[in-house]
Each structure stands twice: as C-alpha cells, then as structure tokens.
Amino acid sequence: SIPLPGELLQVLRSHIEGFNDAQQASDLLFPNIDGGFRAASLLNKPLADIGAHLGLGYKITQRGMRRTFQDLARAAQVSDLVTRSISGHATERMQHHYSTVSTKERADAMRSMFHLVQGGQKSGQSPSPTGQRKEKAS
C-alpha cells in the first residue's frame, strides 16, 4: 500500500464510484467489467488519438508511462529509494533504464556548472584546469 494525499484519494474514490459490484470487489485500480484484468491493448487507441492531436509524430505507449513516472518523480525531487519503492523497480539500473533526461535538466546542469566555475572569478580572469586562476593576456 502507498499512502496518498487527500486530493488524490478523492479523485480515486470518484473513479471507483462508477464501478459496478464486480469492479468494486476487485483489488485492481482499473478492472474490466467482470473485475479482472483489462486487455493490454486497452489504451492503444486513446494514446494514438492523443499523440495525433498533439502532433507528436511518434507513437506513445503504455510502456512509455513507466518513463513518465520516473521523470515526474525526478522532477518532483522524490528520492530514488522512494521512486523505486512505488514503481517496483528494485534496482537502480532499472530505474535509470526507464528514465529520460530532459533538455531543461541538461541546460540547468550546464548553467549550474558554469556558475560554479565562474563563481568568485574577478573580471579578466579565467579558471585554469587545475582550479588556480590565470590572468588573461592583454
């Protein structure tokens, strides 16, 4: 079980209110009308429609949701241990396999490193590879 914030619980409760008796008796979050597993292809058409509407130019799949979860958890600064606990990825290797690094993350990293290197530098000086300052030639 995973503790959830009240707002998310309300969304899930609203979702479950529309279930029939067999679905409500099921342990599944998205059961079929008999309370069992839905077909693996259930989301193919809705995801294709969304991709076409957004003009993505590539196919999005249910499996891609694994990457979305990993990326959202990282953006929300959820610790890796907690992320793996929720996703069921037992190893760091699997967590990394299902993660993507956004252009913004790379740009932020480069900006942070640039500011770190430039931090404390006087005008006209540049850092040397050894970390000592060198005067620029005039």
Side-chain angles (χ1 to χ4, degrees), residues 6-65:
E7 300 90 344
L8 180 53
L9 279 174
Q10 185 54 42
V11 169
L12 293 174
R13 284 186 181 119
S14 294
H15 167 70
I16 292 168
E17 285 173 7
F19 284 1
N20 66 30
D21 290 341
Q23 290 171 310
Q24 288 194 9
S26 175
D27 288 335
L28 300 174
L29 184 56
F30 297 101
N32 67 20
I33 60 171
D34 297 323
F37 288 99
R38 291 186 178 267
S41 61
L42 174 74
L43 295 176
N44 289 352
K45 185 171 179 354
L47 290 175
D49 290 347
I50 291 166
H53 178 75
L54 295 174
L56 292 179
Y58 55 88
K59 183 179 177 180
I60 54 176
T61 66
Q62 297 89 322
R63 188 168 281 200
M65 299 303 283

Side-chain angles (χ1 to χ4, degrees), residues 37-110:
F37 288 99
R38 291 186 178 267
S41 61
L42 174 74
L43 295 176
N44 289 352
K45 185 171 179 354
L47 290 175
D49 290 347
I50 291 166
H53 178 75
L54 295 174
L56 292 179
Y58 55 88
K59 183 179 177 180
I60 54 176
T61 66
Q62 297 89 322
R63 188 168 281 200
M65 299 303 283
R66 294 178 185 181
R67 295 186 191 284
T68 300
F69 173 80
Q70 296 294 328
D71 296 346
L72 288 173
R74 194 173 60 255
Q77 299 180 341
V78 175
S79 78
D80 287 350
L81 179 64
V82 173
T83 300
R84 285 194 299 275
S85 169
I86 295 169
S87 69
H89 294 149
T91 66
E92 188 175 333
R93 182 175 180 207
M94 283 306 291
Q95 180 183 11
H96 289 179
H97 176 75
Y98 284 108
S99 296
T100 55
V101 179
S102 71
T103 302
K104 181 184 180 325
E105 286 176 292
R106 290 191 300 258
D108 289 348
M110 295 304 293

Side-chain angles (χ1 to χ4, degrees), residues 120-131:
Q121 300 293 322
K122 293 180 182 174
S123 180
Q125 293 180 331
S126 62
S128 72
T130 63

